């Protein structure tokens, strides 16, 4: 057990790690943005009167939540070209992660929808809002505010899952760390710095989210 | 379809081996993680400040780091420290440490949800603290922690697929090897996906039925 | 209040039938409310009072009879000899003609007091922001909350919330206002401020259909009292008749049991 720490080699490539971190954040932002749209549609479908829509939403969530993200990523990346759809690796990964996030967000928003008191929906209808207007101006804002903490947690989860993009050679943080690890063999330093960066980013995001939550009135 | 079935027949043993490896490693990790998690959870609730600190640190590091990073670190780091672990061992270690942190938080949460009167009641009948823990607190805590514990199991099975990236011959790696031979990319990825799906849904259903049964008793 | 006895009723409910599943809750209700009239519905729990109001506001479907509001049959039309529910947009338009105040206030939690009043004005009446705000300010002042325009519901007491809800209903300039036990969820010391507000609105000439357990208030504010029993209107008359000495045996029993 004779290992002396030398961070020099890792610091020399620190900008690569930071660049990787930025890519990871970008992937997560894009995926959660698309995933939020998917999640909203799917959540409204899951509480709709249509049995078909409910079944579609339920099946989607069941499938995605029980399959490893890596399998989904590889399937989309390697199998989609066979069907004639050409995506670059970024588009492909964002698509996969968005599908993944969408399933988790379906449950987040569904819980949010069920937490909206029936009374305020009726109050909206009573002043003459249409069903769509009620959903838009009453249900959605209340549901989104109630879902904010879970939405934030999902974002942090997706940011961590962006590490899986390394599997298709997207140069995000984990990919860069592995490269430095193999190039320099400063194993302990590389992984502690990489892990430290992830942790710092997660804590920063969490702190920002708490600030955001405080800025909006609580119901 | 026939072509696929023919190839599946040829590849049945590697895929079966991979499947067993996936299950074996997940079981190993959940056992390790549960023991670790119980210790962590108990210390996080009842430990002194100085004891809590390292456990809190451990939990936060595990929860702030992507599982893949933990796996790669567990694969590369022990060797330079003079510890030789095989890839499956390193993988089980990473998954187990990951699970330990999550289960630790579960145990902490459910221990804290138990009304303090329970400890006092235990004292009143003359039990010492370890006895209270073993006979009063843990049985209650484990019950509320059960559904999320099952969910951790599902996460581990899914997470074990990442071990393909350090060369552990689990289901995904075996599937990739098979695809390398017959190029039936979609079919075999989908097949692997279905296997994961079946196991995880079965686990999920098991969890729900246990939950119902416990719910009836509480 | 002087009422024109010959005026066409503003609200005309004819043989209204409503069931939940196999259970018939309203068993043929006939009730007319004239413009500017204040009618209170009393009756024991489960007699169908809330259900009746909800049918009038089209929050419930009903299986038989007609509800005619200001000459327009609402909720349903006959097409090819069949009775069909109107489309959502139509229902919304008709709902906007009645205001409803709920027992549990049901304010929009993400909007301020002014925002609660303005939403319907902006989205249903398509008013501009300034015009809507002016109306909101007017009505919130009217219910004594001119200083609370920018408060969120969570920052208001129950009585204040209910007054915002009253302002929200009235700002839409409805032909008819429905009030369902609007003081039942309030602490006793907050009841009076809400009742006083309603009394003021009644005196201003609004047409009100009120469900209440506050007998004294009903007697004071109403032109007419309707007593419901098991999904039917059992008796109706002026407060003097309903609460007077010559009242019937069953009404007597109800009033005795409802006195706290
Ligand atoms: N959504 C529903 N589904 C089934 N039954 C219902 C529903 N809503 C009301 N009921 C039933 O209809 C009957 C009348 O209810 P309603 O709420 O109209 O009574 P109410 O006169 O307002 O009573 P209260 O004084 O307690 O408010 C009750 O027996 C009630 O159980
Ligand atoms: Mg009622």
């Amino acid at each position: 057990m004779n290992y002396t720490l030398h961070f020099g080699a890792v610091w020399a490539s620190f900008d690569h790690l930071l660049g990787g971190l930025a890519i990871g954040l970008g992937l997560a932002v894009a995926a959660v943005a698309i995933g939020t749209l998917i999640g909203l549609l799917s959540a409204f479908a899951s509480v709709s009167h249509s049995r078909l829509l409910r079944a579609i939403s339920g099946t989607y969530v069941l499938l995605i939540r029980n399959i490893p993200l890596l399998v989904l990523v590889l399937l989309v990346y390697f199998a989609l070209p066979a069907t004639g759809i050409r995506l670059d690796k970024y588009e492909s990964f964002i698509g996969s992660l968005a599908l993944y996030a969408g399933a988790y967000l379906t449950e987040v928003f569904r819980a949010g929808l069920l937490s909206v008191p029936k009374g305020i929906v009726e109050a909206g209808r009573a002043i003459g809002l249409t069903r769509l207007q009620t959903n838009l101006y009453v249900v959605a804002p209340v549901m989104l505010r109630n879902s904010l903490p879970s939405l934030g947690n999902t974002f942090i989860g997706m940011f961590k899952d962006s590490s899986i993009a390394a599997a298709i050679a997207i140069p995000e943080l984990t990919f860069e760390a592995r490269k430095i690890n193999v190039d320099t063999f400063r194993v302990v330093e590389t992984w502690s710095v990489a892990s430290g960066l992830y942790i710092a980013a997660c804590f920063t995001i969490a702190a920002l989210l708490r600030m955001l939550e405080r800025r909006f009135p609580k119901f | 379809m026939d072509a696929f079935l023919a190839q599946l027949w040829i590849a049945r043993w590697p895929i079966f081996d991979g499947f067993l490896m996936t299950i074996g490693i997940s079981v190993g990790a959940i056992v390790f993680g549960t023991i670790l998690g119980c210790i962590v959870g108990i210390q996080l609730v009842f430990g002194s400040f100085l004891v809590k600190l390292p456990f809190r640190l451990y939990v936060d590091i595990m929860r702030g780091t992507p599982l893949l990073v933990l796996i790669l670190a567990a694969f590369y780091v022990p060797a330079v420290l003079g510890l030789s672990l095989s890839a499956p061992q390193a993988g089980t270690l990473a998954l187990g440490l990951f699970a330990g942190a999550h289960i630790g938080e579960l145990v902490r949460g459910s221990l804290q949800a138990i009304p303090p009167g329970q400890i006092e009641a235990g004292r009143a009948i003359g039990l010492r603290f370890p006895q209270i823990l073993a006979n009063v607190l843990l049985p209650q805590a484990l019950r509320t922690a059960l559904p999320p514990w099952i969910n951790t199991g599902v996460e581990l099975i899914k997470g074990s697929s990442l071990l393909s990236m350090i060369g552990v011959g689990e289901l995904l790696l075996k599937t990739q090897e098979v695809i390398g031979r017959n190029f039936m990319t979609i079919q075999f990825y989908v097949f692997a996906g279905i296997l994961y799906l079946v196991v995880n849904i079965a686990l999920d259903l098991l969890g729900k039925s246990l939950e119902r049964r416990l719910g009836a008793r509480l | 209040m002087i009422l024109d006895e010959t005026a066409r009723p503003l609200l005309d409910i004819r043989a209204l039938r409503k069931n939940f599943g196999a259970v018939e809750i309203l068993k043929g209700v006939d009730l007319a409310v004239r413009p500017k009239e204040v009618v209170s519905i009393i009756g024991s729990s489960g007699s169908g009072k809330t259900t009746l109001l909800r049918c009038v506001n089209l929050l419930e479907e009903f299986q038989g009879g007609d509800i005619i509001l200001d000459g327009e049959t609402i909720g349903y039309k006959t097409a090819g000899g069949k009775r069909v529910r109107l489309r959502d947009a139509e229902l919304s338009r008709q709902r906007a003609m009645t205001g409803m105040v709920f027992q549990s206030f049901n304010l929009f939690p993400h909007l301020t007091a002014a925002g609660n009043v303005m939403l319907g004005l902006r989205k249903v009446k398509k008013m501009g922001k300034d015009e809507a705000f002016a109306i909101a300010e007017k009505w919130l002042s009217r219910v004594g909350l001119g200083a609370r325009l920018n408060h969120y519901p969570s920052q208001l007491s129950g009585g204040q919330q209910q007054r915002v809800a009253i302002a929200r209903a009235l700002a839409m300039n409805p032909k008819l206002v429905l009030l369902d036990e609007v003081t039942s969820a309030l602490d006793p010391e907050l009841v009076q401020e809400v009742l006083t507000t309603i009394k003021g609105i009644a005196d201003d000439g609004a047409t009100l259909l009120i469900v209440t357990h506050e007998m004294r208030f009903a007697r004071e504010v109403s032109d007419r009292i309707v007593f419901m029993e098991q999904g039917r209107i059992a008796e109706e008359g002026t407060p003097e008749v309903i609460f007077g000495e010559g009242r019937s045996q069953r009404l007597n029993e109800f009033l005795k049991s409802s006195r706290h």
Side-chain angles (χ1 to χ4, degrees):
Chain A
M1 246 202 76
N2 265 331
Y3 190 88
T4 18
L5 294 172
H6 285 293
F7 280 94
V10 178
W11 294 139
S13 307
F14 195 60
D15 52 338
H16 285 270
L17 292 178
L18 282 183
L21 180 71
I23 292 179
L25 281 172
L27 294 173
V29 168
V32 170
I34 303 170
T36 298
L37 284 180
I38 301 174
L40 280 175
L41 288 177
S42 168
F44 273 105
S46 77
V47 297
S48 80
H49 293 294
S50 154
R51 185 182 289 233
L52 179 69
L53 286 179
R54 286 203 307 268
I56 291 174
S57 167
T59 311
Y60 162 61
V61 173
L62 188 74
L63 288 183
I64 297 287
R65 289 207 56 156
N66 288 299
I67 287 179
L69 176 55
L70 181 55
V71 172
L72 186 66
V73 167
L74 296 175
L75 183 65
V76 171
Y77 186 58
F78 290 113
L80 226 45
T83 67
I85 305 171
R86 300 225 154 265
L87 296 175
D88 71 26
K89 57 190 176 191
Y90 288 92
E91 293 164 345
S92 153
F93 184 78
I94 289 172
S96 311
L97 195 57
L99 271 180
Y100 209 62
Y104 284 83
L105 290 174
T106 298
E107 303 201 319
V108 167
F109 293 142
R110 184 184 150 80
L113 282 176
L114 295 177
S115 78
V116 173
K118 200 163 148 266
I120 65 170
V121 177
E122 294 194 332
R125 311 300 316 271
I127 56 171
L129 297 176
T130 61
R131 195 164 291 161
L132 182 66
Q133 284 176 323
T134 311
N135 280 335
L136 230 45
Y137 303 121
V138 178
V139 176
V142 174
M143 177 268 276
L144 284 176
R145 175 59 187 82
N146 290 347
S147 308
L148 203 56
S150 313
L151 181 64
N153 286 337
T154 307
F155 178 76
I156 290 175
M158 292 306 131
F159 166 60
K160 289 199 292 170
D161 282 343
S162 73
S163 60
I164 288 175
I168 56 174
I170 289 179
E172 50 65 66
L173 180 48
T174 304
F175 183 84
E176 293 287 359
R178 190 154 64 152
K179 203 156 142 250
I180 296 169
N181 174 71
V182 174
D183 289 349
T184 68
F185 259 90
R186 301 316 309 174
V187 175
V188 178
E189 297 86 333
T190 310
W191 293 112
S192 53
V193 169
S195 164
L197 279 174
Y198 272 113
I199 293 168
C202 287
F203 271 79
T204 311
I205 300 169
L208 288 175
L209 283 166
R210 269 199 301 277
M211 263 170 58
L212 193 68
E213 272 170 53
R214 237 173 292 143
R215 279 201 40 181
F216 285 100
K218 276 222 178 69
F219 305 146
Chain B
M1 194 68 199
D2 282 351
F4 167 67
L5 288 179
Q7 288 298 327
L8 184 60
W9 183 248
I10 295 170
R12 66 193 185 280
W13 290 118
I15 288 187
F16 183 68
D17 287 348
F19 182 77
L20 282 188
M21 181 67 102
T22 290
I23 300 295
I25 285 187
S26 303
V27 169
I30 194 91
V31 169
F32 174 38
T34 303
I35 296 170
L36 188 59
C38 284
I39 297 169
V40 170
I42 291 169
Q43 295 304 334
L44 281 179
V45 177
F46 300 111
S48 68
F49 177 75
L50 277 181
V51 173
K52 270 182 196 157
L53 208 63
F55 282 103
R56 189 74 257 166
L57 200 66
Y58 156 71
V59 169
D60 284 348
I61 289 176
M62 290 300 136
R63 301 208 314 160
T65 307
L67 181 55
L68 179 56
V69 171
L70 293 177
I71 289 170
L72 293 172
F75 182 61
Y76 290 114
V77 170
V80 301
L81 301 180
L83 208 73
S84 86
L85 292 183
S86 68
Q89 285 168 339
T92 312
L93 176 68
L95 288 173
L97 286 173
F98 172 79
H102 281 265
I103 295 172
E105 279 286 286
L106 293 181
V107 172
R108 181 189 63 78
S110 37
L111 277 177
Q112 280 172 344
I114 299 175
Q118 295 283 312
I119 299 182
E120 286 160 22
R123 288 236 166 79
I125 56 170
L127 294 176
R128 285 174 301 110
F129 187 72
Q131 295 174 310
I132 296 177
L133 199 59
N135 297 301
V136 180
L137 300 179
L138 280 182
Q140 297 186 51
L142 293 182
R143 227 173 258 184
T144 40
L146 186 81
W149 182 76
I150 296 269
N151 194 47
T152 307
V154 171
E155 291 304 318
L156 284 180
I157 288 180
K158 291 199 292 176
S160 71
S161 67
L162 298 178
L163 299 183
S164 64
M165 293 179 69
I166 57 169
V168 175
E170 45 65 74
L171 178 55
L172 181 56
L173 188 73
K174 293 291 183 190
T175 302
Q176 286 172 312
E177 288 170 1
V178 168
I179 290 172
R181 283 195 291 274
N182 62 28
F183 301 106
M184 298 182 114
T185 314
I186 301 185
Q187 293 89 324
F188 276 91
Y189 275 135
V190 168
F191 182 72
I194 291 174
L195 286 182
Y196 282 111
L197 202 64
V198 168
V199 176
N200 286 335
I201 290 178
L203 250 183
D204 194 47
L205 291 177
L206 176 76
K208 289 224 171 78
S209 87
L210 277 176
E211 198 181 340
R212 252 196 312 277
R213 230 174 295 162
L214 289 177
R217 253 199 288 164
L218 275 182
Chain C
M1 179 111 341
I2 295 157
L3 288 166
D4 180 1
E5 299 282 333
T6 60
R8 180 185 74 178
L10 178 68
L11 172 70
D12 197 357
I13 302 172
R14 294 183 187 158
L16 181 65
R17 289 180 181 283
K18 156 83 189 164
N19 38 272
F20 284 115
V23 193
E24 193 164 48
I25 301 296
L26 297 177
K27 303 167 182 166
V29 172
D30 292 282
L31 176 66
V33 180
R34 286 182 295 271
K36 294 179 189 289
E37 193 177 19
V38 176
V39 175
S40 290
I41 305 175
I42 61 174
S44 52
S45 183
S47 57
K49 307 179 295 293
T50 296
T51 307
L52 179 62
L53 287 200
R54 290 171 59 84
C55 285
V56 174
N57 205 19
L58 303 177
L59 290 172
E60 299 285 355
E61 299 185 4
F62 48 91
Q63 284 72 34
D66 290 308
I67 301 178
I68 299 155
L69 182 65
D70 202 15
E72 179 178 356
T73 300
I74 62 173
Y76 295 86
K77 65 179 178 194
T78 355
K82 263 207 185 131
R83 185 171 173 278
V84 286
R85 185 87 166 157
L86 294 174
R87 285 179 307 115
D88 189 50
E90 273 298 288
L91 294 177
S92 297
R93 185 185 60 74
Q94 293 175 341
R95 276 195 197 102
M97 298 195 292
T98 55
M100 175 110 173
V101 183
F102 301 86
Q103 181 173 349
S104 48
F105 329 143
N106 296 344
L107 291 187
F108 307 128
H110 61 301
L111 298 177
T112 60
N116 264 276
V117 181
M118 287 164 70
L119 185 64
L121 299 172
R122 305 260 290 131
K123 302 301 173 191
V124 178
K125 300 218 157 174
K126 312 284 183 202
M127 281 181 192
K129 207 171 183 169
D130 296 337
E131 191 187 354
F133 184 78
I135 295 179
E137 197 175 15
K138 181 188 110 187
W139 276 105
L140 285 169
S141 304
R142 177 71 188 76
V143 299
L145 293 171
R148 298 278 193 281
L149 296 181
N150 295 318
H151 284 57
Y152 285 91
S154 59
Q155 300 167 318
L156 298 171
S157 74
Q160 291 171 331
Q161 289 189 50
Q162 192 59 294
R163 285 185 282 149
V164 173
I166 292 171
R168 175 174 71 182
L170 286 159
M172 295 296 287
N173 195 20
K175 298 180 194 308
L176 167 73
V177 183
L178 310 167
L179 301 108
D180 187 11
E181 293 190 38
V182 295
T183 58
S184 297
L186 293 176
D187 292 337
E189 70 272 20
L190 301 176
V191 167
Q192 201 50 47
E193 67 184 57
V194 172
L195 293 184
T196 309
T197 303
I198 297 170
K199 182 90 172 58
I201 287 157
D203 291 343
D204 286 351
T207 312
L208 306 180
L209 185 55
I210 303 173
V211 170
T212 187
H213 286 304
E214 301 277 345
M215 293 307 154
R216 189 126 59 89
F217 170 72
R219 182 174 200 161
E220 232 172 82
V221 76
S222 314
D223 301 303
R224 195 148 49 93
I225 307 277
V226 170
F227 173 55
M228 278 188 74
E229 204 178 50
Q230 290 173 15
R232 288 196 180 84
I233 291 181
E235 290 180 33
E236 62 175 294
T238 61
E240 292 73 36
V241 171
I242 294 289
F243 295 114
E245 289 306 319
R247 65 193 174 212
S248 69
Q249 184 62 31
R250 59 182 173 183
L251 196 48
N252 215 5
E253 262 159 33
F254 166 71
L255 288 175
K256 231 187 269 164
S257 69
S258 76
R259 197 166 297 141
H260 331 283

